[in-house]
Amino acid sequence: MIEQPTVRLFSYGTLRQAEVQRSLFGRELTGTPDALPGYRLATVEITDPHVIALSGSAHHPILQPTGDPADTVEGTALLITETELAAADDYEVDDYERTLVPLASGAEAWVYAPAGTGPEAATGAPSDARTTV
């Protein structure tokens, strides 16, 4: 049985690149434009040679929480499988952690936020929620 995309992942950076998608997931992903309120973009320097080679850059965007709903980060809500989500987890470096967030559209999606800023940082417990579409 073929695994169906049931997970929403909000991407504002390199996971939107077709070459990264083909390398990580074996296909180009489908998605819809969306936005993440309460954040701005900053830049983080990547040192993992595999990630640099795949993305073509040592400087990647990273979310900066502001708490101001007027600040928004534009991106794409990608539909992926659980297996693809695990592959995305493996791709992202330790500067990022996956957390569940509400998007401007009202949908919930996973996003890679700066490590230590997600709900698990406040509660001490990792979130295991899944978003079905």
Side-chain angles (χ1 to χ4, degrees):
M1 182 173 170
I2 297 174
E3 188 178 8
Q4 294 298 311
T6 60
V7 177
R8 191 176 286 115
L9 175 66
F10 181 74
S11 177
Y12 54 89
T14 62
L15 287 174
R16 292 190 291 174
Q17 295 175 348
E19 60 276 12
V20 171
Q21 292 177 4
R22 285 190 301 270
S23 178
L24 292 179
F25 313 122
R27 68 184 183 102
E28 290 186 33
L29 304 176
T30 59
T32 55
D34 213 325
L36 180 60
Y39 291 86
R40 281 188 255 171
L41 285 181
T43 303
V44 64
E45 185 172 358
I46 304 299
T47 58
D48 183 311
H50 173 71
V51 173
I52 294 169
L54 193 56
S55 69
S57 177
H59 294 91
H60 288 201
I62 192 165
L63 294 173
Q64 181 179 52
T66 66
D68 183 349
D71 292 330
T72 59
V73 172
E74 300 294 322
T76 304
L78 303 168
L79 291 179
I80 62 174
T81 66
E82 292 285 342
T83 301
E84 291 167 336
L85 185 61
D89 285 346
D90 289 341
Y91 167 76
E92 294 295 350
V93 297
D94 290 342
D95 295 290
Y96 300 89
E97 71 183 7
R98 182 166 43 93
T99 188
L100 198 60
V101 294
L103 299 177
S105 65
E108 282 192 324
W110 290 109
V111 69
Y112 292 100
T117 62
E120 46 287 328
T123 65
S127 173
D128 64 350
R130 295 288 183 259
T131 302
T132 55
V133 292

